[in-house]
Amino acid sequence: MENPFEIILQKLENIEKSLEDLKNKGIETPSNKLDIFNTEEVADYIRLTVPTIYGLVHRNKIPYCKKGKKLYFVKSDIDKWILEGRNKTTSELNLLADKYLMKHRL
């Protein structure tokens, strides 16, 4: 009977070889795949209408990519764009004011 440890080592080597083959073929894994939206999908994602999205694109108010006649939106760019409009809380504003006054004494 064959040594069970040798069998395990052989199987591990096969798994490592398979993973290396996949890596070399450039198969995308979920971790390196970009989430790309079309106009309808981004409208659903941020809960706006499609005409509103077109208006934002026309005024360059939303990050987008254009390939030919098609518009594409990268999810991470949309998330950053939404967070840029975040308003600070009163306590955050008070902290900023305190820091400013500490640096710039009257």
Side-chain angles (χ1 to χ4, degrees):
M1 186 168 149
E2 208 173 335
N3 184 351
F5 293 108
E6 288 178 11
I7 295 171
I8 292 171
L9 284 174
Q10 181 62 39
K11 290 188 182 229
L12 283 174
E13 287 173 7
N14 289 342
I15 290 170
E16 285 177 340
K17 185 179 180 301
S18 297
L19 287 173
E20 191 63 36
D21 290 345
L22 287 173
K23 187 177 175 183
N24 290 338
K25 288 181 182 177
I27 294 177
E28 282 190 314
T29 59
S31 63
N32 65 2
K33 184 181 176 210
L34 279 178
D35 287 328
I36 305 289
F37 293 144
N38 63 27
T39 308
E40 292 80 20
E41 292 168 336
V42 79
D44 281 343
Y45 181 65
I46 60 177
R47 294 185 179 104
L48 295 174
T49 63
V50 172
T52 302
I53 298 297
Y54 284 125
L56 291 170
V57 167
H58 178 72
R59 293 187 309 277
N60 288 321
K61 298 282 186 178
I62 189 170
Y64 67 95
C65 302
K66 188 170 183 179
K67 197 73 170 170
K69 293 183 178 183
K70 299 273 186 182
L71 290 173
Y72 300 99
F73 303 85
V74 179
K75 182 182 183 294
S76 59
D77 291 345
I78 298 301
D79 292 339
K80 280 190 258 180
W81 173 73
I82 290 170
L83 292 175
E84 284 173 358
R86 181 182 175 273
N87 291 324
K88 292 183 177 16
T89 64
T90 304
S91 60
E92 290 172 328
L93 290 172
N94 287 336
L95 281 173
L96 287 173
D98 290 343
K99 286 181 185 177
Y100 178 83
L101 290 173
M102 294 294 270
K103 283 185 181 180
H104 304 89
R105 296 217 177 247
L106 298 177

